[in-house]
Amino acid sequence: MAITITLPVVGSSQNTWGTILNQTITDIAEAVNGNATKVQPNLDNLVIDSVTVTATPQELNTLDGFGGTSDDLNKTTLFLNGASAGSTNNSKAVIYSTSGGVKYGYWTIIEESGNLKFKNGSNTRMSLDSSGNLTVYGNVTAYGSP
């Protein structure tokens, strides 16, 4: 962030040095306190606790308003458009469970260790692993009708 300050010139700022210093100190204080209208930070490289932030401004803005914990974020349980568990948002048809799964009636689809689990209530009824193997807990009917 660039802050431009004006220093009085020794021998040339007679009768104005006090005004110049006061304005300079005010500009610095406003910039530090975040009240400056003149300061336009240019953060080409943002470093927090010795770690360079590599996210784009758009990526950071995606998290605007996120109220979860870092654990929630690491589990990728961010809900679309600010929805919360058990409710719809912006007339979206997807309802999320408290664990971040997708709910549809009594059914919940969650991801556990790279596998999709299809649950009815708390019981897993079907799972699909990352290799494409489908496991069904119960009978499978081929060519049936509803």
Side-chain angles (χ1 to χ4, degrees), residues 103-116:
K103 288 193 68 66
Y104 184 77
Y106 292 106
W107 288 90
T108 305
I109 304 168
I110 62 169
E111 184 272 333
E112 287 181 357
S113 303
N115 301 320
L116 285 179

Side-chain angles (χ1 to χ4, degrees), residues 67-92:
T69 66
S70 60
D71 189 47
D72 292 335
L73 186 58
N74 289 332
K75 288 181 181 175
T76 62
T77 58
L78 283 173
F79 301 120
L80 295 176
N81 299 316
S84 59
S87 67
T88 60
N89 190 42
N90 296 327
S91 301
K92 302 292 186 235

Side-chain angles (χ1 to χ4, degrees), residues 12-145:
S12 324
S13 297
Q14 189 173 8
N15 299 325
T16 61
W17 67 269
T19 302
I20 292 170
L21 284 179
N22 285 343
Q23 186 59 54
T24 298
I25 292 169
T26 299
D27 290 346
I28 293 169
E30 286 180 354
V32 170
N33 292 326
N35 300 327
T37 56
K38 299 177 189 176
V39 177
Q40 297 292 324
N42 183 1
L43 300 175
D44 290 328
N45 294 308
L46 177 60
V47 178
I48 301 173
D49 290 334
S50 301
V51 177
T52 300
V53 176
T54 59
T56 66
Q58 294 79 9
E59 290 168 334
L60 292 174
N61 287 339
T62 301
L63 297 174
D64 184 32
F66 174 69
T69 66
S70 60
D71 189 47
D72 292 335
L73 186 58
N74 289 332
K75 288 181 181 175
T76 62
T77 58
L78 283 173
F79 301 120
L80 295 176
N81 299 316
S84 59
S87 67
T88 60
N89 190 42
N90 296 327
S91 301
K92 302 292 186 235
V94 176
I95 299 178
Y96 298 97
S97 70
T98 55
S99 64
V102 176
K103 288 193 68 66
Y104 184 77
Y106 292 106
W107 288 90
T108 305
I109 304 168
I110 62 169
E111 184 272 333
E112 287 181 357
S113 303
N115 301 320
L116 285 179
K117 304 280 184 169
F118 295 78
K119 295 186 173 196
N120 187 286
S122 61
N123 300 312
T124 299
R125 300 296 184 195
M126 183 173 69
S127 64
L128 178 64
D129 70 20
S130 59
S131 298
N133 299 312
L134 179 66
T135 304
V136 178
Y137 305 93
N139 295 327
V140 176
T141 302
Y143 308 108
S145 56

